[in-house]
Structure formats: structure tokens, C-alpha cells
Amino acid sequence: MIEQHGWSDEWRAAFAPHARAGLIPGRIVVQQREYNLVITEAGILNARLSGRLRHEAAEGGHPAAGDWVALAAKPAEGTATIHAVLPRRTAFIRRAADSVRTLQVIAANIDIVFVVTSLNADLNPRRMERFLAAAWQSGARPVVVLTKADLADQPEARLAEIAALAAGCPVVIVSARDGQGLDDLRAHIAPGETCVLIGSSGVGKSTLVNTLLGEARMATQEIREDDAKGRHTTSHRQLVLLPGGGMILDTPGIREVGLVDAEEGVVAVFEDIEALAETCRFNDCGHTNEPGCAVRGALEDGTLDPDRWAAFQKLRDELAAAAQVKDRATQDADRVRAAKQQRSYRKAKTKLRGGDS
């Protein structure tokens, strides 16, 4: 079973220290709040974190859907305890919606990120740019998927609009209802590869999974008619096998992706602006009133969309602010660590003096 879920010689080599400790490997196929379902050689087990791992897991270090983990298993009881998480090859990460510092791993060890949006009133180019930046930063291959083509009046026109901001990644138009584009979508998933669906609620992710599976395994719900926005249907992250041998990870809808250390992802999405900036007369051009500013020139002659420029500035400023918060957090942690070391030193010195007297 685990070979079908991506187990390989590379993972076996990485797992070797845990094997010597008597643990077994498994991959998280369902991620929920209190427990995870893990596929193992002994079948699917209900796994919880060990107390040590729960306490020691660093930011973003708790297991996520797609992770390979080391388990102490009780197959007869159908349970296991997760003692370690293997280092991730790739990961789609965002800042948690309620925290500047807390990271949330949406999917781990993925090969493809399908950035999904529907061809209805909820299509938002600015949100698409943000999702794409996080997708490029994940280390996986981004693919834009435009769903509900059967509901769009001019889907090809929207395709051209999205392709212009997709930073060269493939764009696929699909309709689960009439089967349009599904073969093109399947062609992106090779046997043994893992893909994840990222997008807002109501864009048709679960419907798309059901269509690719050939069965109604995922719950679906209609979108609201007044604003074309979706209701939350998927409540957890679930990895399922596809008939062609690949794997697909369905996720709950997310409205926003707070970017985390995503400078490279932003550069990939806004490569047109980066290329313009390189042709400015001055290397430290602020793109305001400097003479010979290629960015200002492009804005003035209409070759650069002002909304796209504003989106680039917003993401760049967001990353800079997040970096400052991270630096302050690191400095605070260093100060706490230094204070603990000083206390330990003083205690040891006091004890030593007491022993000499």
C-alpha cells in the first residue's frame, strides 16, 4: 500500500534511523485536528502525536497531509503514535489567518499545485497572483485550473487574461459537467506523483476530485447565487489515489494565503515587472519620480496594468513586514536563550562557591 502512495528508495534511506529504532513508516492521508489517518504496511491506522513531538514540534513542524512519518504501531487496535516527521521535499505553506508568526502547512511532499478558480463572478486575478506566488515557493509545479467552463460566456477570453499573469505556468480550462479539459488535466499527473488542489470554497475542487476518481467520494455543495461565492464543504485534508496511479489532495477552501518567505515566488509571478525594473537607469530606482524609470514609463504608456503594479507593491511590502516580525521574534528568542544561559551560569557558580566554603 505505501508504494502506491509514493514510498521510494529515497524515502527508505531517509527513514533508516527510525527503522533501527523499531518504528515503521507511514504517510498521512487524512489530516484532522485531533488525529490523522496514516497509510502503512499494516493498513490504515488512526495516529496521534506523541507527547514529546507535540511539545517539541517547531513552527510548521507538526505533521500535515502528505507527510511521511515514523510510527509506533498497534495494528491489532488500528492505532499508532507518531514519533517523528521525515524532512519534506516540498510544502505549500501559508501564514495562519489569525497570526503573523504562526505557519500552516497545507500540503507536504507534493509535486504539483493545482491553483483552482472558477470562471464565474468570483474569479479574482489578484487572489490568483497570491496563490501562484505561494505555489511557486512550495517547490512544486504550479498549474492553473479554470473550472465551470460550461457556465462562462467567453472562457477563452478569460483564459488569455489569466495566462497573462500566470508567469508561464500551464493554464487548463475544465468542466466537470461535460468533461471538457479533463484529459489535459490528467496529463499533468504522472504515476506516483502527488498533486494538491488549492482554491477558494465553491470553485469545484471536490467535484473535480470526484470526476477524476469516477465516483462521488467527496461531499459537494452548490455555491451561493447572490455573489457566486462558495460554502465550505471539505472540512479536512485528504489524500486519495487516482485510477492513473497518481495521488490528489483535496483541501478546504481558503480565501487568503498569507505569504511566508516567498520572495522567489513573487519574483516568478511578477517576472514582467522584475524585468522592467532591471532596465531602469538607476540600480536603486524607487520607481516614483526618478529619470529613466522603466516601470513608470510602462505605467504611463499602458503596457503595465496599474492594478498589477499595485498588487506587486502590496505583496512586496507584506513580505518585508513579515521579515521584520520574524527578525524581532528571532531576536526575542535569542534574548530569552541568553537569559536562561546566564541564569544557569549563575546557579552553577553559586553552587560551586557553596561547595568550596
Side-chain angles (χ1 to χ4, degrees):
M1 288 292 290
I2 62 172
E3 280 78 9
Q4 292 179 350
H5 284 80
W7 187 245
S8 64
D9 290 340
E10 289 77 13
W11 286 117
R12 189 173 289 106
F15 189 79
H18 304 294
R20 289 192 291 271
L23 303 177
I24 68 169
R27 192 176 195 190
I28 296 178
V29 293
V30 175
Q31 178 190 357
Q32 294 183 320
R33 286 183 181 272
E34 296 301 322
Y35 68 91
N36 303 284
L37 293 183
V38 181
I39 189 75
T40 72
E41 295 170 338
I44 296 180
L45 303 177
N46 185 329
R48 297 177 184 272
L49 273 64
S50 69
R52 182 189 59 78
L53 181 59
R54 188 182 298 276
H55 176 72
E56 294 181 358
E59 209 173 59
H62 288 281
D67 264 325
W68 286 100
V69 294
L71 304 149
K74 296 180 179 178
E77 300 176 12
T79 62
T81 301
I82 301 174
H83 287 277
V85 181
L86 270 63
R88 297 169 178 133
R89 292 190 299 105
T90 60
F92 187 97
I93 302 173
R94 71 165 180 170
R95 249 187 315 104
D98 59 350
S99 173
V100 175
R101 298 182 183 179
T102 303
L103 307 185
Q104 184 179 29
V105 181
I106 303 296
N109 301 312
I110 48 176
D111 301 285
I112 308 145
V113 177
F114 286 131
V115 179
V116 185
T117 190
S118 59
L119 287 163
N120 62 9
D122 196 37
L123 177 57
N124 185 325
R126 304 288 80 86
R127 188 188 308 133
M128 176 67 63
E129 290 165 341
R130 179 179 290 271
F131 279 30
L132 279 171
W136 280 110
Q137 195 68 31
S138 74
R141 308 190 305 272
V143 176
V144 175
V145 182
L146 305 178
T147 62
K148 305 183 182 182
D150 55 292
L151 301 180
D153 294 331
Q154 296 180 317
E156 296 301 328
R158 305 312 298 271
L159 170 64
E161 175 187 347
I162 295 300
L165 57 84
C169 73
V171 181
V172 181
I173 293 181
V174 302
S175 169
R177 178 174 296 179
D178 60 23
Q180 177 184 350
L182 294 179
D183 287 340
D184 293 336
L185 189 64
R186 291 188 185 98
H188 288 286
I189 311 171
E193 289 192 328
T194 302
C195 61
V196 62
L197 300 174
I198 298 294
S200 304
S201 299
V203 298
K205 299 189 303 297
S206 295
T207 299
L208 197 56
V209 173
N210 288 338
T211 303
L212 293 172
L213 287 173
E215 59 178 284
R217 193 182 306 182
M218 304 295 181
T220 60
Q221 212 173 67
E222 294 297 323
I223 62 171
R224 299 194 297 258
E225 294 183 0
D226 55 345
D227 60 3
K229 298 183 185 297
R231 304 176 180 91
H232 288 284
T233 301
T234 302
S235 59
H236 56 268
R237 301 181 183 97
Q238 181 172 355
L239 181 67
V240 295
L241 290 173
L242 293 173
M247 291 152 283
I248 193 163
L249 180 59
D250 192 16
T251 64
I254 50 180
R255 298 296 299 176
E256 288 292 340
V257 172
L259 299 181
V260 179
D261 296 334
E263 289 80 4
E264 293 180 9
V266 170
V267 168
V269 173
F270 294 94
E271 60 182 2
D272 55 331
I273 294 178
E274 293 288 345
L276 274 173
E278 290 177 358
T279 64
C280 288
R281 180 181 298 177
F282 303 107
N283 293 333
D284 59 348
C285 184
H287 314 303
T288 52
N289 298 313
E290 293 88 344
C293 176
V295 173
R296 302 310 309 177
L299 287 167
E300 291 168 3
D301 65 22
T303 54
L304 175 58
D305 181 2
D307 290 339
R308 183 164 168 80
W309 168 242
F312 171 74
Q313 290 179 301
K314 180 180 179 179
L315 294 186
R316 184 186 58 186
D317 292 345
E318 179 181 320
L319 288 174
Q324 289 179 349
V325 170
K326 184 177 180 180
D327 289 343
R328 286 197 298 270
T330 300
Q331 291 170 3
D332 290 343
D334 289 342
R335 280 194 292 269
V336 170
R337 191 180 303 110
K340 287 182 178 178
Q341 290 173 344
Q342 288 175 355
R343 285 197 296 271
S344 297
Y345 172 74
R346 286 195 297 269
K347 286 180 180 179
K349 192 173 182 180
T350 300
K351 186 176 180 180
L352 182 62
R353 285 200 301 266
D356 292 339
S357 60

